[in-house]
Amino acid sequence: MLLDPRPVYRRLIFPWYDSEIVCFATLLFAGFVLLFGVCGIHVAYETPAFREYLWIPGLLFAMGLVVFVSVAIRLISRYVQRIDR
């Protein structure tokens, strides 16, 4: 007897690190990193001695933005899939 590959009673199980609560916490943390990066860029730009180190808060901002956008896209696609059902 062949097994049904997609039984009706089986739900899709998300790992704990991909749950909505963890994604929202990651968005919150990434938002704080973005804010910290913007503050660092502002301070490094205004202080002439620190202008050569402007790339460090810029890199921090860029990495925080990548994390923020990727988690936001994951949550948006999950909500779109939920609406389509």
Side-chain angles (χ1 to χ4, degrees):
M1 181 176 182
L2 294 175
L3 294 175
D4 188 14
R6 292 187 58 179
V8 176
Y9 57 86
R10 210 176 248 188
R11 291 182 44 194
L12 184 62
I13 300 173
F14 289 111
W16 65 270
Y17 53 85
D18 198 25
S19 66
E20 287 186 17
I21 294 172
V22 175
C23 285
F24 283 125
T26 305
L27 281 176
L28 182 67
F29 181 72
F32 286 135
V33 170
L34 288 173
L35 183 64
F36 187 69
V38 167
C39 291
I41 289 171
H42 179 69
V43 168
Y45 187 74
E46 295 228 340
T47 309
F50 295 153
R51 284 210 181 152
E52 62 188 55
Y53 301 112
L54 188 63
W55 66 273
I56 296 173
L59 185 63
L60 181 69
F61 178 80
M63 289 189 298
L65 188 64
V66 167
V67 170
F68 190 88
V69 168
S70 68
V71 173
I73 289 172
R74 179 180 298 158
L75 280 175
I76 290 170
S77 67
R78 189 178 301 161
Y79 284 130
V80 167
Q81 286 176 358
R82 194 178 293 170
I83 290 172
D84 287 344
R85 287 185 198 171

